[in-house]
Amino acid sequence: MIVRTLGTAMVVFTDRHGGVSRGPYESANLAYHVGDEPDAVAENRALAAARAGMGRPDQWACVHQVHGNGVVRFDAPPGSGTEPAFRSGTEPAFRSGTEPAFRSGTEPDADASVTTAIGLPLVILTADCAPLAIVGDGAVAAVHVGWAGLEAGVVERAANAVRAVAPGPLRAVLGPCIHPGRYEFGPGLLERLVTRFGVEIAALTEADRPALDIPAAVRIALRNAGVDALDDVGVCTASSPDYFSYRRDGDTGRQAMLVVRER
């Protein structure tokens, strides 16, 4: 696990080690939707919660990630009878035919969540997309950032949602995600994103093919939203055997980012 402390918040990025799953999900897969045994996923979540000090997994605040720009606010854990306080955003910007979205039955459709509640973990699952935490004085956000969400403005919307309930400077931390050396990207789509974010996000793969630099795009999106303080853990999921990577492996598990306001 990678752990970061930002002011009054703790951010935890899990990896693929220390669980009980087998096969392509070995070993700490935290996603139910990928074909893994549900009992194994439940045990993996319990193990991850214990290691991270993040309470019971059934109290985690999760969203149904749809590659859009929707933001929800949680004021209480799931199952408490309290619906998310607000839902903001458009319809999904993109539904990939090869990257299944996450759902266990009750999560609101969104790619970012925010809370002012103390002790309520916000959770994002990834296997190449970027997990991003945004922290203010009194609020935190968890953001799932893929190329479609970037284009749709999910980073800026999440930053604005935190600022709306916690005015003041914001800080962010970017977790393990795919880096340009392993992320070949279609020239047409890349040109669209260059138009949106600038030439800094265009790169080349290790094989000299066009690539998208997601960390660079996240930095620019944060800067556009008035967030200059970014801690990038600097890990490429597709290059590291310590992480699940959909681009590298196809059939695989998911790691998680957990963000909690501690006081």
Side-chain angles (χ1 to χ4, degrees):
M1 287 184 173
I2 298 173
V3 180
R4 292 288 192 270
T5 299
L6 277 72
T8 61
M10 181 170 71
V11 184
V12 175
F13 301 100
T14 71
D15 54 37
R16 69 179 302 164
H17 301 302
V20 300
S21 294
R22 299 180 179 180
Y25 316 112
E26 186 179 355
S27 65
N29 166 49
L30 300 182
Y32 284 103
H33 72 279
V34 297
D36 196 3
E37 293 293 331
D39 287 348
V41 178
E43 185 168 351
N44 291 341
R45 287 189 172 205
L47 290 167
R51 285 196 297 270
M54 288 286 183
R56 292 168 23 206
D58 64 351
Q59 299 293 291
W60 291 353
C62 302
V63 293
H64 174 213
Q65 298 167 197
V66 293
H67 297 275
N69 65 2
V71 182
V72 297
R73 192 178 90 211
F74 289 98
D75 288 332
S80 63
T82 302
E83 291 296 313
F86 71 72
R87 301 170 186 244
S88 171
T90 65
E91 290 300 307
F94 173 66
R95 283 189 183 273
S96 167
T98 55
E99 173 74 55
F102 165 63
R103 182 183 288 281
S104 64
T106 60
E107 297 84 5
D109 288 356
D111 285 274
S113 57
V114 62
T115 190
T116 59
I118 294 173
L120 176 59
L122 305 178
V123 179
I124 292 294
L125 299 178
T126 63
D128 280 332
C129 289
L132 176 69
I134 302 175
V135 176
D137 185 12
V140 297
V143 194
H144 164 250
V145 190
W147 72 261
L150 272 168
E151 185 178 40
V154 69
V155 173
E156 296 92 334
R157 292 181 69 90
N160 289 336
V162 174
R163 192 175 283 114
V165 292
L170 303 182
R171 289 179 285 177
V173 56
L174 176 64
C177 63
I178 196 166
H179 284 200
R182 298 293 185 95
Y183 194 25
E184 184 175 343
F185 206 75
L189 284 175
L190 185 60
E191 183 58 34
R192 272 173 37 188
L193 291 168
V194 166
T195 300
R196 174 85 160 77
F197 295 104
V199 294
E200 295 171 61
I201 62 96
L204 294 174
T205 68
E206 295 167 356
D208 290 328
R209 303 289 298 166
L212 171 62
D213 189 334
I214 283 187
V218 168
R219 285 194 299 273
I220 293 166
L222 285 168
R223 188 167 66 233
N224 291 343
V227 183
D228 293 315
L230 173 64
D231 174 13
D232 183 350
V233 304
V235 174
C236 174
T237 47
S239 300
S240 173
D242 295 324
Y243 293 89
F244 297 110
S245 169
Y246 185 81
R247 176 61 68 105
R248 182 188 65 221
D249 300 327
D251 191 15
T252 193
R254 300 294 186 272
Q255 51 260 343
M257 176 184 70
L258 301 97
V259 186
V260 65
R261 182 186 171 199
E262 295 190 296
R263 61 185 188 278

